[in-house]
Short mmCIF file of all heavy atoms in Angstrom, two decimals:
data_model
loop_
_atom_site.label_atom_id
_atom_site.label_comp_id
_atom_site.label_asym_id
_atom_site.label_seq_id
_atom_site.Cartn_x
_atom_site.Cartn_y
_atom_site.Cartn_z
N ASN A 7 -6.47 30.81 13.25
CA ASN A 7 -6.27 29.59 12.46
C ASN A 7 -7.06 29.69 11.17
O ASN A 7 -8.27 29.52 11.15
CB ASN A 7 -6.73 28.34 13.27
CG ASN A 7 -6.55 27.06 12.47
OD1 ASN A 7 -6.02 27.05 11.36
ND2 ASN A 7 -7.03 25.96 13.03
N PRO A 8 -6.38 30.01 10.07
CA PRO A 8 -7.09 30.19 8.80
C PRO A 8 -7.87 28.97 8.34
O PRO A 8 -8.79 29.10 7.54
CB PRO A 8 -5.96 30.48 7.80
CG PRO A 8 -4.82 31.03 8.64
CD PRO A 8 -4.94 30.28 9.96
N ARG A 9 -7.52 27.81 8.88
CA ARG A 9 -8.22 26.57 8.48
C ARG A 9 -9.29 26.19 9.50
O ARG A 9 -9.84 25.08 9.43
CB ARG A 9 -7.24 25.42 8.30
CG ARG A 9 -6.16 25.71 7.23
CD ARG A 9 -5.18 24.57 7.10
NE ARG A 9 -5.81 23.41 6.53
CZ ARG A 9 -5.27 22.19 6.48
NH1 ARG A 9 -4.07 22.02 6.96
NH2 ARG A 9 -5.90 21.18 5.92
N ALA A 10 -9.57 27.06 10.43
CA ALA A 10 -10.56 26.74 11.46
C ALA A 10 -11.96 26.58 10.86
O ALA A 10 -12.24 27.05 9.75
CB ALA A 10 -10.60 27.87 12.50
N ILE A 11 -12.83 25.90 11.58
CA ILE A 11 -14.19 25.62 11.15
C ILE A 11 -15.15 26.33 12.08
O ILE A 11 -15.09 26.18 13.30
CB ILE A 11 -14.48 24.09 11.20
CG1 ILE A 11 -13.48 23.31 10.37
CG2 ILE A 11 -15.92 23.81 10.77
CD1 ILE A 11 -13.41 21.85 10.72
N THR A 12 -16.05 27.13 11.53
CA THR A 12 -17.11 27.73 12.33
C THR A 12 -18.47 27.39 11.75
O THR A 12 -18.64 27.47 10.53
CB THR A 12 -16.97 29.27 12.41
OG1 THR A 12 -17.00 29.83 11.12
CG2 THR A 12 -15.66 29.66 13.12
N ILE A 13 -19.37 26.99 12.62
CA ILE A 13 -20.71 26.54 12.20
C ILE A 13 -21.75 27.29 13.05
O ILE A 13 -21.59 27.41 14.27
CB ILE A 13 -20.87 25.03 12.42
CG1 ILE A 13 -19.76 24.25 11.71
CG2 ILE A 13 -22.23 24.57 11.94
CD1 ILE A 13 -19.74 22.77 12.06
N ALA A 14 -22.78 27.78 12.39
CA ALA A 14 -23.82 28.50 13.10
C ALA A 14 -25.05 27.60 13.27
O ALA A 14 -25.56 27.04 12.31
CB ALA A 14 -24.24 29.76 12.32
N GLU A 15 -25.48 27.45 14.53
CA GLU A 15 -26.74 26.75 14.81
C GLU A 15 -27.84 27.82 14.80
O GLU A 15 -27.97 28.59 15.73
CB GLU A 15 -26.67 26.05 16.16
CG GLU A 15 -27.88 25.17 16.44
CD GLU A 15 -28.63 25.54 17.68
OE1 GLU A 15 -28.35 26.57 18.32
OE2 GLU A 15 -29.56 24.79 18.07
N GLU A 16 -28.60 27.87 13.69
CA GLU A 16 -29.49 28.98 13.48
C GLU A 16 -30.73 28.49 12.71
O GLU A 16 -30.61 27.78 11.72
CB GLU A 16 -28.78 30.07 12.66
CG GLU A 16 -29.31 31.47 12.86
CD GLU A 16 -30.54 31.76 12.03
OE1 GLU A 16 -30.56 31.38 10.84
OE2 GLU A 16 -31.48 32.37 12.57
N VAL A 17 -31.91 28.85 13.21
CA VAL A 17 -33.15 28.27 12.63
C VAL A 17 -33.91 29.24 11.77
O VAL A 17 -34.80 28.83 11.02
CB VAL A 17 -34.06 27.75 13.78
CG1 VAL A 17 -33.40 26.65 14.53
CG2 VAL A 17 -34.50 28.87 14.70
N SER A 18 -33.65 30.54 11.84
CA SER A 18 -34.50 31.50 11.11
C SER A 18 -34.13 31.55 9.62
O SER A 18 -34.97 31.95 8.79
CB SER A 18 -34.35 32.88 11.70
OG SER A 18 -33.15 33.54 11.31
N GLY A 19 -32.90 31.20 9.27
CA GLY A 19 -32.49 31.29 7.89
C GLY A 19 -31.93 32.68 7.54
O GLY A 19 -31.99 33.09 6.36
N MET A 20 -31.37 33.38 8.50
CA MET A 20 -30.82 34.70 8.26
C MET A 20 -29.85 34.70 7.07
O MET A 20 -28.86 33.96 7.06
CB MET A 20 -30.10 35.23 9.51
CG MET A 20 -29.26 36.46 9.29
SD MET A 20 -30.23 37.94 8.86
CE MET A 20 -30.82 38.44 10.47
N PRO A 21 -30.11 35.48 6.00
CA PRO A 21 -29.24 35.48 4.83
C PRO A 21 -27.83 35.99 5.18
O PRO A 21 -27.67 36.91 6.02
CB PRO A 21 -29.95 36.46 3.90
CG PRO A 21 -31.36 36.56 4.38
CD PRO A 21 -31.29 36.37 5.88
N GLY A 22 -26.85 35.39 4.54
CA GLY A 22 -25.48 35.84 4.68
C GLY A 22 -24.73 35.33 5.90
O GLY A 22 -23.56 35.63 6.09
N LEU A 23 -25.41 34.53 6.70
CA LEU A 23 -24.77 34.04 7.91
C LEU A 23 -23.52 33.24 7.59
O LEU A 23 -22.50 33.37 8.27
CB LEU A 23 -25.78 33.16 8.68
CG LEU A 23 -25.48 32.86 10.14
CD1 LEU A 23 -25.43 34.14 10.97
CD2 LEU A 23 -26.46 31.88 10.71
N ALA A 24 -23.59 32.38 6.56
CA ALA A 24 -22.46 31.56 6.17
C ALA A 24 -21.83 32.07 4.90
O ALA A 24 -21.28 31.30 4.12
CB ALA A 24 -22.91 30.09 6.02
N ALA A 25 -21.89 33.37 4.70
CA ALA A 25 -21.21 34.00 3.56
C ALA A 25 -19.94 34.68 4.08
O ALA A 25 -19.88 35.09 5.24
CB ALA A 25 -22.10 35.02 2.91
N PRO A 26 -18.90 34.77 3.26
CA PRO A 26 -17.64 35.39 3.70
C PRO A 26 -17.82 36.85 4.08
O PRO A 26 -18.67 37.56 3.55
CB PRO A 26 -16.73 35.27 2.46
CG PRO A 26 -17.36 34.23 1.59
CD PRO A 26 -18.81 34.32 1.85
N PHE A 27 -17.01 37.29 5.04
CA PHE A 27 -17.07 38.67 5.46
C PHE A 27 -16.80 39.64 4.32
O PHE A 27 -17.44 40.68 4.19
CB PHE A 27 -16.03 38.90 6.58
CG PHE A 27 -15.87 40.36 6.97
CD1 PHE A 27 -16.86 40.98 7.75
CD2 PHE A 27 -14.78 41.10 6.57
CE1 PHE A 27 -16.71 42.31 8.11
CE2 PHE A 27 -14.63 42.40 6.94
CZ PHE A 27 -15.60 43.02 7.70
N ILE A 28 -15.85 39.28 3.45
CA ILE A 28 -15.51 40.14 2.33
C ILE A 28 -16.68 40.30 1.37
O ILE A 28 -16.73 41.28 0.59
CB ILE A 28 -14.25 39.56 1.58
CG1 ILE A 28 -13.65 40.62 0.65
CG2 ILE A 28 -14.61 38.31 0.78
CD1 ILE A 28 -12.32 40.23 0.08
N ALA A 29 -17.62 39.37 1.39
CA ALA A 29 -18.79 39.46 0.53
C ALA A 29 -20.00 40.09 1.28
O ALA A 29 -21.14 40.05 0.76
CB ALA A 29 -19.18 38.09 -0.01
N GLY A 30 -19.76 40.59 2.46
CA GLY A 30 -20.83 41.20 3.26
C GLY A 30 -21.52 40.24 4.21
O GLY A 30 -22.53 40.61 4.79
#
């Protein structure tokens, strides 16, 4: 589903977690 929503419950602040796959 291209319009799907994914959210990460994450406390460390890992960089890139919510960045597009194409951007690494």
Side-chain angles (χ1 to χ4, degrees):
N7 179 4
R9 300 180 68 190
I11 303 161
T12 58
I13 306 170
E15 187 239 6
E16 207 278 317
V17 298
S18 77
M20 170 64 81
L23 196 64
F27 172 74
I28 195 171

